[in-house]
Amino acid sequence: THVVTENCIKCKFTDCVDVCPVDCFREGPNFLIIDPDECIDCAVCIPECPANAIFAEEDLPADQLKFIALNAELVSSPSFTSISRSKKPLPDADNWNGMTDKLKYLER
Ligand code: F3S
């Protein structure tokens, strides 16, 4: 599967969702996830993300491995719902792009 990682938090650019052929993205308050049961590993979303937040599972940096479980877990959170059309990024997205240690800001 493909995995959305930490740098999406507080950015949520949403360019990724427009290219997904199976609509496997789910939107939370300040983060997107990929439903691992629906992702077909086409990889077209990877270059679309301005925050470089999407990785194939096998290419994940070591410090982002926990996002495999997090994407899978949040699929069943009521705060995460299907999104298939892009929208405006979060207001401060450009400032948050590239900041480290954003997991503590995840809203769920
Ligand atoms: Fe997040 Fe990048 Fe999509 S910031 S919403 S994974 S385009």
Side-chain angles (χ1 to χ4, degrees):
T1 190
H2 281 59
V3 178
V4 184
T5 62
E6 190 162 11
N7 203 31
C8 178
I9 296 169
K10 281 190 160 282
C11 290
K12 211 168 77 168
F13 286 105
T14 74
D15 304 63
C16 53
V17 304
D18 283 334
V19 299
C20 181
V22 295
D23 291 343
C24 70
F25 284 93
R26 304 288 178 266
E27 181 189 19
N30 66 2
F31 185 50
L32 254 64
I33 54 156
I34 288 172
D35 182 337
D37 292 330
E38 295 196 1
C39 176
I40 57 170
D41 278 334
C42 71
V44 296
C45 56
I46 292 179
E48 298 301 316
C49 176
N52 296 314
I54 307 173
F55 292 83
E57 188 174 342
E58 59 270 23
D59 295 334
L60 278 169
D63 65 346
Q64 300 294 303
L65 287 170
K66 54 183 170 288
F67 281 84
I68 299 172
L70 191 60
N71 278 238
E73 176 196 331
L74 292 174
V75 167
S76 51
S77 163
S79 336
F80 282 70
T81 55
S82 197
I83 175 173
S84 51
R85 298 274 295 275
S86 58
K87 54 168 76 171
K88 281 191 182 154
L90 291 175
D92 230 7
D94 287 332
N95 290 330
W96 284 99
N97 186 2
M99 297 270 249
T100 53
D101 258 334
K102 293 200 280 183
L103 184 52
K104 56 179 177 263
Y105 301 116
L106 175 67
E107 294 170 38
R108 52 168 95 205

